Amino acid sequence: MGATKTEHFTDEQNELAILAKAIGHPARIAIIEYLIKVESCICGDIVNELPLSQPTISQHLKELKNAGLIKGNFEGNAICYCLNEVGFDKIKGFFLNVNTYLDKRKDRCC
């Protein structure tokens, strides 16, 4: 789908697509899982955790932050990252809607 077609969809649909794209890479999933595991903001520790270079991790962090899935604060010369509840609430709401639909259908598909 070209970028020019996004105006044919609702703001919510476009926003969910951005969120889905942001978590659509295994390195970003690994970053999110690491942030969950450490239960707090971390700074440069992700570079030591994943088999990726610092610039590559920085690019993935930027994508997650731009999508609204993580947030970061400066602590001295480093940035401390943690999950952004707002972004995940939007994903959660979408999947709750899907689950509600599936629960009602219970094996009544085609």
Side-chain angles (χ1 to χ4, degrees):
M1 175 175 68
T4 59
K5 299 291 184 184
T6 58
E7 72 271 2
H8 296 292
F9 301 96
T10 67
D11 290 343
E12 183 177 289
Q13 289 167 333
N14 283 309
E15 196 169 346
L16 281 167
I18 290 168
L19 293 167
K21 183 179 177 183
I23 60 172
H25 192 286
R28 296 182 197 142
I29 296 292
I31 290 169
I32 291 167
E33 289 176 341
Y34 182 70
L35 290 172
I36 291 168
K37 182 176 84 173
V38 297
E39 295 183 10
S40 64
C41 295
I42 52 95
C43 297
D45 298 344
I46 297 172
V47 175
N48 297 328
E49 184 72 16
L50 299 178
L52 301 171
S53 68
Q54 186 275 325
T56 300
I57 289 175
S58 291
Q59 183 61 38
H60 287 301
L61 289 167
K62 179 181 175 186
E63 292 294 325
L64 289 167
K65 188 172 182 191
N66 287 344
L69 293 172
I70 64 171
K71 50 189 172 183
N73 298 312
F74 283 99
E75 288 188 5
N77 293 340
I79 301 176
C80 183
Y81 291 100
C82 59
L83 298 181
N84 185 354
E85 302 86 5
V86 175
F88 283 99
D89 282 345
K90 292 174 185 174
I91 293 172
K92 180 180 170 184
F94 174 75
F95 283 108
L96 282 174
N97 190 26
V98 171
N99 282 336
T100 299
Y101 169 79
L102 293 174
D103 286 343
K104 289 178 184 177
R105 297 275 303 166
K106 291 288 185 198
D107 298 326
R108 292 184 300 161
C109 184
C110 311

